[in-house]
Amino acid sequence: MNTEPLDDAEYPYSARYEAASPFAPSATIQNFDAAWKWLRRWLIRGALVAGVFALMGVGFAGFVGFRAARQAWLVAQLRQLGGQVTYSHEYPFNEDALPNELRGLVGDHVWSDVRGIELNDPWGWWSVGSRIQFACHTCGSFPNLSSFRVDHNEFTLKDVASWPSLTRLEDLTIQTQKLDEADYAVLSRMVGLKTLRLTTKTPVDLDVKYLANLSRLETLFLDSVRLVGTSKANPLGLPSLANLTILEVPELDDKAITQMGPMPKLQTVNIGESALTDAAVAHFAQSSELQSVVFDSKHVTDAGLEALAKCRQIVEIHLLGSQVTDDGVKALTGSELRDLCLDKSAITDQSFATFATLPNLEWLSVCDTKVTGEALEQFPKEHPLSSLDFSGAALTELGIQQIVARNPTMVHLARTRLTDAQLMLFVTNDTLTYLDIEKTRVTAEGFEAFCKAKKRRVSRFGSLEPPSIQSDFDSIYEQYFGLEFDPFTGQIGRAHV
């Protein structure tokens, strides 16, 4: 056995040292290759991501462009039919904060949704009914439409029954020839309504059951639309209703009102001539937020006024043609009323003892009553009462003197026994802004004397303005004070208040 040690060259497990190849890659080159592979991999990924975003941008731009072009075309169609369009950035929506400069460059139809549409044809220029139907079909293409107003004799709610935005409508105003049960069925589906105005040229019936689903309704205006109750009262009522107006329905009775159910947020009520009684007044008075009531009914008595007097927030009561007496007025003692109208009622001068206890009373109307005006002396001098309507009342000479002594700003004395001499008492009232003396005993000579004296006083005190006067002598007024802009007619002429 050979026991001689092996040298290193012969040892099979010894380390081998070979000469370095001039073509072998260095460590730096290897690191560079690795870095390049990593970078290339991320560049590819970045390019893919950028491509995806580019495609998304192109798709979004295409969508915006298509939407803008489609909306612009639809708006143009409506405007050709005489329609008016309101965008989301315009009043009353004001929901778009985009700068006006940018909107001016690209146009309303790109950035703003159509939120309101108005279609008016009160004179029947759209003589063909299919035109209003086409317009309504076009309106249904705006998904965010929240306000729709239409005045057309051929319009029916069935024309909008298929709108996707039906449940999102918040404001609906309709003037048409008539409506029927099928229209009201569509109305009951508009659960998002906050404002509803219905006017028909032909009186129609509206069962209160069709209002049961309108829990968000805040304003209800009905003109020639007769509310009727043929089913049970709505136990949930109209929880959001704040303003109620019903006009031109003399047959309106208590049943329809009570079947509307509770209206806990009711603030204002305006009912034209009707057959409503104290029961309807008491139903309205259940609202703790009631502030204003205007009633024209000969069936309301002292009980109705007493129910209203219990409303803590009430500031305006107009009971026209009622049976209210001096005893019923006593319930108002010390209330916060600002406006009070008891025209054609049974009150007398005795009620003024109560009126004088109303610290905020500014406007008082007692037309066509037995009031003489003499009891005005019971009001303290510092009382804010400034507007008086005694038209058709039994005014006496002393009563007119009491009116003059209060220096009111607005006075209605039409159809009274006012004479030329009594008219002259108002010359020195420098706070007077309006005076109605139509159908009185004032003569043309007396009125001219008044105008002449008033003009001298106005000229003497340069800061004074002549009052607007409703009289039987327009030409005399024009001679001394010229013509005025009438805001009611939009024309130059005698001003009306």
Side-chain angles (χ1 to χ4, degrees):
M1 181 174 184
N2 186 5
T3 59
E4 293 182 0
L6 298 175
D7 57 17
D8 293 339
E10 296 176 340
Y11 191 65
Y13 303 105
S14 62
R16 296 286 191 264
Y17 297 96
E18 299 180 357
S21 170
F23 304 104
S26 64
T28 302
I29 294 176
Q30 292 178 350
N31 291 338
F32 178 80
D33 288 342
W36 169 247
K37 292 179 181 179
W38 178 87
L39 180 61
R40 183 176 58 185
R41 184 167 59 250
W42 281 104
L43 285 175
I44 294 174
R45 293 177 179 176
L48 291 174
V49 171
V52 171
F53 277 104
L55 289 175
M56 292 175 61
V58 171
F60 177 76
F63 170 77
V64 171
F66 172 76
R67 172 186 176 278
R70 180 174 180 270
Q71 181 168 284
W73 182 82
L74 293 172
V75 169
Q77 292 293 317
L78 288 176
R79 286 177 173 167
Q80 285 182 359
L81 294 172
Q84 300 179 19
V85 172
T86 303
Y87 291 97
S88 59
H89 69 277
E90 296 175 326
Y91 178 85
F93 307 104
N94 302 323
E95 296 178 352
D96 190 351
L98 191 70
N100 291 331
E101 294 79 7
L102 182 56
R103 183 180 292 108
L105 292 175
V106 298
D108 293 331
H109 56 278
V110 175
W111 296 104
S112 295
D113 282 325
V114 172
R115 297 295 304 278
I117 293 175
E118 188 170 344
L119 302 175
N120 291 328
D121 183 32
W123 309 111
W125 292 336
W126 301 354
S127 57
V128 181
S130 59
R131 292 188 179 182
I132 186 62
Q133 295 170 2
F134 173 75
C136 291
H137 177 74
T138 303
C139 294
S141 301
F142 301 106
N144 296 316
L145 188 66
S146 61
S147 176
F148 181 66
R149 303 182 179 186
V150 59
D151 182 356
H152 192 283
N153 289 338
E154 300 297 327
F155 173 81
T156 69
L157 281 168
K158 295 183 286 292
D159 295 332
V160 304
S162 61
W163 281 7
S165 60
L166 199 65
T167 58
R168 291 190 290 274
L169 275 179
E170 297 181 354
D171 181 358
L172 178 63
T173 299
I174 297 174
Q175 288 184 265
T176 187
Q177 185 68 31
K178 62 181 180 180
L179 298 171
D180 57 27
E181 294 289 321
D183 294 308
Y184 300 141
V186 178
L187 176 65
S188 65
R189 293 162 48 199
M190 301 180 181
V191 294
L193 279 182
K194 294 183 179 180
T195 300
L196 174 61
R197 301 181 184 91
L198 297 180
T199 300
T200 59
K201 296 179 174 63
T202 301
V204 296
D205 291 342
L206 169 59
D207 197 314
V208 296
K209 68 182 181 181
Y210 292 110
L211 303 176
N213 293 334
L214 309 184
S215 60
R216 299 180 62 189
L217 192 64
E218 299 174 0
T219 298
L220 177 60
F221 178 96
L222 302 176
D223 188 346
S224 300
V225 178
R226 185 171 43 245
L227 278 179
V228 295
T230 60
S231 56
K232 295 182 180 179
N234 177 15
L236 300 180
L238 297 173
S240 302
L241 189 66
N243 308 292
L244 174 63
T245 300
I246 305 177
L247 306 176
E248 303 298 330
V249 187
E251 306 89 356
L252 181 65
D253 58 21
D254 296 336
K255 183 178 180 181
I257 297 300
T258 54
Q259 289 195 358
M260 293 176 70
M263 294 170 274
K265 294 187 178 181
L266 192 63
Q267 298 179 9
T268 65
V269 178
N270 184 359
I271 308 293
E273 182 182 359
S274 69
L276 296 179
T277 71
D278 296 331
V281 177
H283 186 75
F284 293 134
Q286 294 177 6
S287 170
S288 60
E289 300 183 16
L290 192 62
Q291 301 176 14
S292 172
V293 172
V294 178
F295 251 64
D296 184 354
S297 174
K298 61 183 180 181
H299 304 290
V300 176
T301 69
D302 290 344
L305 184 59
E306 291 168 2
L308 294 176
K310 297 177 183 179
C311 300
R312 296 183 178 181
Q313 297 192 37
I314 196 141
V315 295
E316 180 180 23
I317 295 177
H318 290 205
L319 298 180
L320 310 177
S322 70
Q323 302 178 34
V324 171
T325 67
D326 296 327
D327 290 336
V329 169
K330 294 178 182 179
L332 299 175
T333 302
S335 69
E336 300 297 319
L337 283 177
R338 291 198 303 263
D339 292 359
L340 177 60
C341 173
L342 296 174
D343 294 352
K344 300 180 180 180
S345 65
I347 67 169
T348 67
D349 287 344
Q350 295 181 20
S351 291
F352 278 69
T354 300
F355 298 157
T357 68
L358 309 180
N360 300 323
L361 189 64
E362 299 176 357
W363 190 86
L364 176 63
S365 181
V366 288
C367 298
D368 301 298
T369 63
K370 297 180 180 180
V371 170
T372 67
E374 298 176 6
L376 277 171
E377 63 178 355
Q378 300 183 52
F379 281 78
K381 292 183 179 181
E382 65 276 7
H383 196 281
L385 186 63
S386 60
S387 180
L388 299 167
D389 193 341
F390 286 85
S391 300
L395 285 178
T396 63
E397 182 176 357
L398 180 58
I400 293 175
Q401 292 175 3
Q402 290 295 332
I403 294 174
V404 174
R406 291 215 56 81
N407 285 323
T409 59
M410 298 181 64
V411 181
H412 298 253
L413 301 177
R415 298 179 289 105
T416 64
R417 296 182 178 181
L418 182 72
T419 64
D420 292 345
Q422 294 165 351
L423 175 62
M424 293 300 292
L425 298 175
F426 289 94
V427 170
T428 57
N429 183 348
D430 297 330
T431 62
L432 189 65
T433 61
Y434 178 77
L435 180 62
D436 182 0
I437 57 172
E438 282 189 319
K439 298 180 180 179
T440 62
R441 294 183 177 182
V442 174
T443 65
E445 293 76 12
F447 185 66
E448 184 170 8
F450 171 82
C451 291
K452 186 181 298 184
K454 194 67 178 178
K455 186 171 183 178
R456 283 199 303 266
R457 188 171 181 84
V458 170
S459 301
R460 180 181 177 186
F461 302 97
S463 60
L464 298 182
E465 292 288 340
S468 296
I469 301 179
Q470 193 98 355
S471 74
D472 300 318
F473 315 103
D474 291 348
S475 60
I476 297 176
Y477 182 88
E478 178 184 345
Q479 177 184 347
Y480 284 89
F481 301 111
L483 296 176
E484 298 179 343
F485 176 75
D486 189 340
F488 288 85
T489 64
Q491 299 176 352
I492 299 298
R494 183 185 58 175
H496 295 73
V497 177

